[in-house]
């Protein structure tokens, strides 16, 4: 058998090392800890929390770190816990069977290499910021569930994405913490000589060197490049320090490391992808690396870059996520080549040609360079992430296809979706399993399956919803209290948080990146009316969360205004801001809210996914008809605000805010508080069922990955 130096042996060694630390009966925990499959296998998380829930939380829910730091005496005690050992053996068997299952080729040519600047797999691997990363993580998990041969390629940001602290006035401060790679469920990939595999990419005037880490996401390997090496200078090391670094030059270096370094790393490991899937434009430089390889393989006359990209086209697919020109980063040619010029030269490509393919108008000499034009030109297919986004993207990128009618611009769509076992709470999953049957998750995109929600008795469905709300209320009470203490609020105010929120109140959530187009400010458009909604009649409570990009002062202002208004409303325990929104809190937030708000300015929400997560848990969406909701809303499964585009943004904000308040006052609250003799909101539950039935099969990642396989990966073959 030939040995493959793709990290699997290194993974084996790391697992053995950890296993030796564990009492024999717990040894399986070692390999379980090194594969994130535990996080979506029922009972997986409980294995660690039943050893020590508090310490597991303190270890950032990272099982490797947790086990390395757990006192031997506690591990020995756990090793005698018969119930735990039985559950351990069950989870181990389930995971092992899953990992041993025969796989399927997606592509005759080799695995699909899924490139992305961020991956949101789990809160203990902080290399994501928001929706794009979480989607990428969900895709890796779903391809694992479907046993497809895909590998992920990204960057290991040593300081991850920002953490958020608000000061007393509501102004966001950021800080970063360094991850300890020794205790990450990741291993450094080593080559045949036993030394770490090393790839280099020319950046600025030097050679940026990087190592490669392997993370197991179920059956899917995720490779992360890391420039934190002694041989790099401090500036070079900073390249893999932080996600979405503010400096444009650092970002260019990051994209070179991802695109060019990623291709080189796969090559060095002997992995020959049949298809490169560029998720968003950041990794598009991969196409130049392939073009350069093609050029050196072909003898005879030197071909132009356009011709080379054409030869490579069959191996690239591009997914665009950004419906505004401003969201597609562009760089002045001088800046671009000051960072990447040497890389381009060494690849044997012409700077003029690289400029031409990176501009919307290739004949321009002044237009800045962008990765989206390059990605569209190098790929055999480009897809948007919702139906509406497809229309917007065709219009936006039409200038790339001179003389082509907007209807014929070759951009299709695969609507986003979410990984069901990650996002459906255990409470809901257990309830549905009773009515859907065992292993139903494997065919969760079958609408027939979801018709069984009609068989769930009202009382059971309502109890599940109340349990999920209660879990959220417990999280809020604990976290808001700590947030207030950390801000330096009065102790009494911090303590008041410990009985904030009421587990019986209508609970409304808004959580996502704080970007201005998401219009959190609409909620506070008429503070007095909001106060009445919160205060009058039966109880209603609001929870808001989200991080602003460090350089986005406008978004930070929105948050600060909210703090000011919040104070004026004097409903401190009914309207709370939860700091540092991330994958730790997101699952409970989306599960516990009765109503999930999304208020983007149309048509700027390419898709949105958090509403899908809420829907899978029986939450109801109240959203602008933009992105995915345009496809999801059917009149019975939630509430909608007009999604048409209005150039008079002020008038639009006023109209949309009014629509929001009207819906909350006249429809949402009355429906939630109309109860039968047993206190059950029958009408509300009818809508909940309509939501589960219509949205469940359509917005689970099963459907999305099927679409990618059928329409993107396998099309044209
Ligand atoms: C799902 C998710 C998002 C995306 O939310 P949208 O409402 O789609 O923008 C962002 N952050 C986290 C942590 C998520 O889980």
């Amino acid at each position: 058998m030939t040995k493959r130096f793709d990290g699997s042996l290194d993974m084996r060694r790391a697992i053995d090392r950890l296993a030796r630390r564990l009492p024999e009966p717990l040894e399986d925990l070692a390999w379980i800890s090194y594969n994130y499959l535990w996080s979506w296998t029922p009972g997986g998380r409980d294995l660690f929390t039943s050893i020590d829930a508090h310490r597991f939380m303190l270890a950032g829910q990272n099982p490797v770190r947790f086990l390395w730091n757990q006192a031997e005496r506690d591990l020995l005690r756990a090793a005698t816990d018969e119930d735990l050992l039985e559950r351990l053996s069950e989870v181990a068997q389930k995971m092992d069977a899953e990992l041993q299952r025969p796989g399927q080729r997606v592509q005759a040519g080799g695995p699909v290499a899924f490139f992305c600047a961020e991956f949101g797999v789990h809160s203990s691997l902080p290399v994501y910021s928001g929706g794009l990363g979480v989607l990428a993580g969900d895709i890796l998990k779903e391809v694992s569930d479907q046993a497809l041969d895909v590998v992920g390629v990204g960057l290991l940001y040593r300081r991850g994405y920002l953490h958020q602290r608000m000061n007393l006035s509501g102004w966001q401060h950021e800080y970063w913490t360094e991850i300890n790679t020794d205790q990450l469920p990741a291993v450094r990939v080593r080559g045949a000589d036993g030394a770490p595999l090393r790839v280099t990419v020319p950046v600025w005037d030097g050679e940026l060197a990087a190592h490669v880490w392997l993370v197991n996401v179920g059956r899917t390997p995720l490779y992360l490049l890391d420039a934190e090496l002694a041989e790099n200078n401090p500036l070079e090391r900073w390249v893999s320090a932080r996600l979405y670094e503010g400096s444009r030059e650092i970002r260019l270096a990051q994209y070179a490391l991802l695109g060019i370094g990623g291709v080189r790393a796969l090559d060095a490991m002997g992995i020959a992808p049949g298809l490169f899937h560029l998720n968003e434009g950041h990794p598009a430089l991969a196409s130049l690396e392939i073009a350069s390889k093609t050029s050196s393989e072909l003898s005879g006359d030197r071909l132009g870059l356009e011709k080379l990209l054409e030869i490579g086209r069959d191996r690239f697919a591009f997914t665009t996520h950004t419906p505004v020109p401003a969201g597609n980063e562009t760089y002045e040619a001088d800046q671009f080549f000051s960072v990447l010029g040497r890389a381009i030269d060494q690849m044997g490509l012409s700077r003029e040609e690289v400029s031409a393919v990176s501009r919307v108008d290739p004949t321009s000499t002044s237009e800045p360079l962008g990765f989206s034009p390059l990605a569209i030109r190098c790929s055999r297919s480009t897809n948007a992430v919702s139906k509406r986004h497809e229309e917007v993207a065709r219009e936006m990128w039409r200038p790339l296809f001179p003389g082509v009618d907007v209807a014929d611009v070759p951009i299709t769509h695969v609507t986003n979706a979410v990984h069901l076992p990650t996002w459906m709470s255990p409470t809901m999953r257990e309830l549905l399993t009773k009515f859907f049957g065992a292993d139903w998750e494997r065919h969760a995109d079958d609408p027939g399956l979801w018709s069984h929600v009609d068989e769930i008795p009202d009382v059971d469905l309502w109890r599940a919803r109340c349990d999920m709300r209660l879990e959220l209320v417990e999280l809020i009470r604990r976290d808001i209290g700590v947030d207030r203490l950390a801000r330096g609020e009065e102790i009494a105010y911090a303590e008041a948080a410990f009985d904030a929120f009421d587990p019986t109140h209508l609970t409304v959530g808004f959580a996502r990146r704080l970007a201005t187009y998401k219009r959190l400010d609409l909620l506070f458009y008429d503070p007095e009316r909001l106060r009445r909604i919160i205060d009058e009649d039966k109880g209603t409570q609001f929870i808001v969360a989200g991080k602003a990009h460090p350089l986005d002062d406008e978004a930070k202002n929105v948050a600060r205004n909210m703090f000011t208004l919040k104070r004026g409303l004097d409903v401190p325990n009914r309207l709370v801001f939860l700091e540092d929104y991330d994958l730790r809190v997101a699952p409970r937030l989306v599960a516990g809210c009765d109503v999930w708000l999304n208020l983007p300015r149309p048509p700027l929400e390419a898709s949105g996914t958090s509403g899908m997560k809420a829907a899978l848990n029986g939450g109801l969406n109240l959203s602008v008809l933009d992105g995915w909701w345009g496809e999801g809303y059917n009149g019975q499964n939630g509430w909608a605000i007009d999604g048409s585009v209005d150039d008079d943004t002020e008038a639009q904000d006023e109209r949309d805010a009014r629509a929001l308040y009207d819906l909350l006052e006249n429809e949402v609250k009355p429906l939630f508080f109309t109860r039968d003799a047993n206190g059950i909101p029958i009408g509300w539950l009818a809508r909940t069922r309509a939501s589960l039935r219509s949205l469940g099969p359509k917005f689970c990642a099963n459907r999305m990955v099927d679409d990618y396989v059928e329409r993107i990966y396998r099309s044209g073959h």
Side-chain angles (χ1 to χ4, degrees):
M1 207 176 100
T2 53
K3 281 187 180 171
R4 276 188 73 184
F5 295 94
D6 57 2
S8 38
L9 290 173
D10 309 294
M11 185 60 81
R12 192 68 258 161
R13 276 193 284 269
I15 290 167
D16 288 345
R17 216 163 33 241
L18 178 57
R20 282 197 294 278
R21 170 162 213 271
L22 302 174
E24 200 263 353
L26 296 183
E27 267 178 8
D28 279 339
L29 280 178
W31 67 266
I32 290 175
S33 299
Y34 271 96
N35 193 322
Y36 276 111
L37 178 56
W38 68 263
S39 69
W40 74 92
T41 299
R45 187 175 182 279
D46 298 343
L47 297 178
F48 305 106
T49 56
S50 42
I51 295 176
D52 191 333
H54 188 63
R55 281 180 175 276
F56 187 59
M57 196 249 310
L58 291 178
Q61 310 195 45
N62 169 354
V64 172
R65 182 173 155 199
F66 169 72
L67 290 174
W68 274 115
N69 294 317
Q70 197 62 6
E72 199 180 344
R73 142 181 59 88
D74 296 329
L75 292 173
L76 286 171
R77 186 172 34 78
T80 62
D81 178 343
E82 288 302 325
D83 171 61
L84 172 67
L85 296 180
E86 198 171 310
R87 285 184 287 128
L88 170 58
S89 133
E90 253 172 58
V91 171
Q93 269 173 36
K94 235 183 291 179
M95 280 179 58
D96 189 51
E98 180 60 22
L99 298 173
Q100 300 306 330
R101 210 150 54 92
Q104 289 184 56
R105 275 255 113 123
V106 181
Q107 273 273 326
V112 173
F114 185 90
F115 277 61
C116 191
E118 50 169 315
F119 285 93
V121 172
H122 189 257
S123 60
S124 60
L125 187 66
V127 296
Y128 65 92
S129 79
L132 178 69
V134 176
L135 178 84
D138 279 4
I139 287 177
L140 295 192
K141 292 172 185 176
E142 183 62 33
V143 296
S144 168
D145 291 349
Q146 299 195 19
L148 303 172
D149 62 338
V150 174
V151 302
V153 179
L155 298 182
L156 183 71
Y157 304 96
R158 291 286 186 134
R159 291 172 176 79
Y161 193 58
L162 69 94
H163 288 288
Q164 175 190 55
R165 271 286 160 225
M166 311 303 268
N167 71 10
L168 281 170
S169 72
W171 188 253
Q172 171 183 297
H173 290 265
E174 304 86 31
Y175 64 99
W176 285 261
T177 51
E178 190 141 358
I179 51 179
N180 175 359
T181 47
D182 292 341
Q183 295 188 343
L184 217 54
V187 293
R188 212 185 286 261
V189 178
R190 288 172 189 276
D193 57 359
L197 196 87
R198 177 177 171 275
V199 294
T200 60
V201 180
V203 173
W204 292 294
D205 297 325
E207 287 289 316
L208 178 67
H211 285 177
V212 182
W213 294 78
L214 165 64
V215 177
N216 280 333
V217 184
R219 309 165 53 100
T220 314
L222 168 60
Y223 293 105
L224 300 173
L225 283 88
D226 171 21
E228 181 59 56
L229 305 184
E231 65 177 292
N232 287 330
N233 70 35
L235 173 62
E236 290 166 339
R237 281 183 222 148
W238 196 254
V239 170
S240 63
R242 305 195 299 203
L243 176 56
Y244 300 135
E245 182 57 47
S247 152
R248 299 164 58 79
E249 290 194 17
I250 301 267
R251 283 207 301 274
L252 278 173
Q254 293 184 325
Y255 304 152
L257 181 59
L258 173 63
I260 302 169
V263 172
R264 293 180 182 179
L266 291 176
D267 205 36
M269 291 186 289
I271 299 171
L275 183 74
F276 295 92
H277 183 171
L278 308 174
N279 196 39
E280 193 55 308
H282 312 122
L285 295 168
S287 66
L288 300 185
E289 174 68 5
I290 295 294
S292 151
K293 278 170 71 175
T294 310
S295 178
S296 60
E297 280 159 19
L298 295 172
S299 52
D301 289 347
R302 196 190 154 273
L303 297 175
L305 179 57
E306 244 181 283
K307 185 77 199 158
L308 291 169
L309 290 183
E310 203 182 300
I311 296 172
R313 261 175 78 86
D314 215 32
R315 294 180 68 196
F316 283 89
F318 171 48
T319 300
T320 173
H321 292 262
T322 320
V324 262
N328 290 273
E329 285 175 40
T330 57
Y331 299 86
E332 295 301 331
D334 281 353
Q335 189 172 48
F336 187 91
F337 290 111
S338 75
V339 181
L340 303 176
R342 280 184 54 253
I344 308 290
D345 299 345
Q346 282 192 15
M347 287 193 272
L349 304 174
S350 117
R351 294 188 184 196
E352 286 69 34
E353 288 179 330
V354 168
S355 303
V357 295
S358 307
R359 286 179 167 130
V360 175
D361 173 6
T363 63
S364 162
T365 50
S366 57
E367 193 192 307
L369 315 185
F371 291 121
S372 295
L374 173 61
I376 292 172
R377 287 205 176 93
C378 79
S379 300
R380 72 177 194 214
S381 80
T382 294
N383 72 280
V385 290
S386 72
K387 204 165 164 183
R388 180 164 195 190
H389 180 214
E390 174 190 317
E391 287 159 26
V392 174
R394 280 170 189 252
E395 192 65 59
M396 198 168 114
W397 295 114
R398 185 183 179 178
L400 275 178
F401 305 91
V404 173
D405 218 45
V406 72
D408 298 326
V409 170
I411 296 180
T412 178
H413 76 274
V414 172
T415 303
N416 284 346
V418 298
H419 183 241
L420 187 145
T422 296
W423 290 106
M424 184 178 278
S425 79
T427 307
M428 197 65 177
R429 222 174 146 185
E430 276 163 33
L431 178 66
L432 294 194
T433 301
K434 276 190 214 152
F435 295 86
F436 289 18
D439 274 340
W440 66 274
E441 293 93 340
R442 289 211 189 282
H443 42 113
D445 54 343
D446 170 9
L449 195 64
W450 293 82
S451 62
H452 294 294
V453 294
D454 292 340
E455 297 156 22
I456 306 175
D458 285 332
V459 56
D460 293 342
L461 185 55
W462 185 236
R463 188 179 310 118
R465 288 295 315 151
C466 291
D467 287 349
M468 288 185 265
R469 193 186 313 106
L470 176 63
E471 271 192 57
L472 172 60
V473 168
E474 284 165 354
L475 173 116
I476 296 289
R477 287 176 172 172
R478 195 180 55 237
D479 283 20
I480 297 293
V482 172
D483 287 350
R484 287 177 180 176
L485 286 170
R487 275 205 296 276
E489 305 268 15
E490 301 276 346
I491 298 248
Y493 182 57
E495 274 185 327
F498 300 141
D499 40 45
F501 268 36
D502 184 316
T504 67
H505 282 4
L506 170 66
T507 305
V508 185
F510 179 106
R512 52 184 55 82
R513 271 183 312 121
L514 289 183
T516 38
Y517 82 86
K518 304 262 193 186
R519 290 196 301 178
L520 168 62
D521 44 347
L522 278 201
L523 183 57
F524 297 88
Y525 197 89
D526 183 345
E528 185 45 35
R529 201 165 164 197
L530 176 63
R531 197 192 56 73
R532 282 202 307 273
I533 289 170
I534 290 175
D535 237 12
E536 278 177 8
D537 313 321
K538 313 282 190 344
T540 303
Q541 54 202 5
F542 286 84
I543 173 166
V544 176
K547 295 172 179 173
H549 187 275
L551 298 180
D552 191 351
D553 280 354
E554 226 184 311
K556 289 186 183 181
N557 265 322
V558 170
R560 182 163 57 187
N561 289 343
M562 177 193 66
F563 265 65
T564 310
L565 290 168
K566 227 162 77 64
R567 255 172 239 268
L569 292 180
D570 199 27
V571 284
N573 294 330
R574 292 271 198 98
L575 171 56
V576 300
F577 183 83
L578 181 65
E579 292 184 17
D580 209 28
Y581 179 56
D582 65 4
L583 282 179
R584 183 183 67 88
V585 291
R588 257 184 296 171
L589 247 174
V590 295
C593 288
D594 300 294
V595 176
W596 194 256
L597 296 182
N598 195 14
L599 308 166
R601 180 181 306 291
L604 301 188
E605 185 78 307
S607 168
T609 50
S610 61
M612 305 171 187
K613 302 169 190 168
L616 285 182
N617 287 288
L620 294 176
N621 279 276
L622 192 177
S623 174
V624 171
L625 279 173
D626 197 18
W628 80 283
W629 196 226
E631 285 157 67
Y633 179 63
N634 69 8
Q636 274 113 53
N637 56 0
W639 294 276
I641 295 172
D642 179 25
S644 49
V645 176
D646 187 340
D647 291 331
D648 184 347
T649 55
E650 278 178 37
Q652 184 179 41
D653 286 352
E654 201 212 324
R655 204 174 50 240
D656 292 352
R658 196 155 358 99
L660 167 67
Y661 294 130
D662 285 348
L663 284 170
L664 287 170
E665 279 174 355
N666 305 330
E667 301 205 25
V668 177
K669 284 182 72 174
L671 196 65
F672 187 83
F673 289 111
T674 303
R675 305 290 170 90
D676 73 359
N678 300 314
I680 294 176
I682 305 293
W684 184 272
L685 290 182
R687 207 167 271 244
T688 305
R689 286 201 180 81
S691 167
L692 285 165
R693 228 172 23 229
S694 57
L695 305 176
K698 239 172 141 172
F699 297 102
C700 60
N702 312 51
R703 190 274 305 151
M704 169 176 64
V705 165
D706 282 351
D707 282 355
Y708 271 112
V709 170
E710 297 308 320
R711 308 212 333 249
I712 307 292
Y713 296 165
R714 285 188 181 146
S715 74
H717 282 258

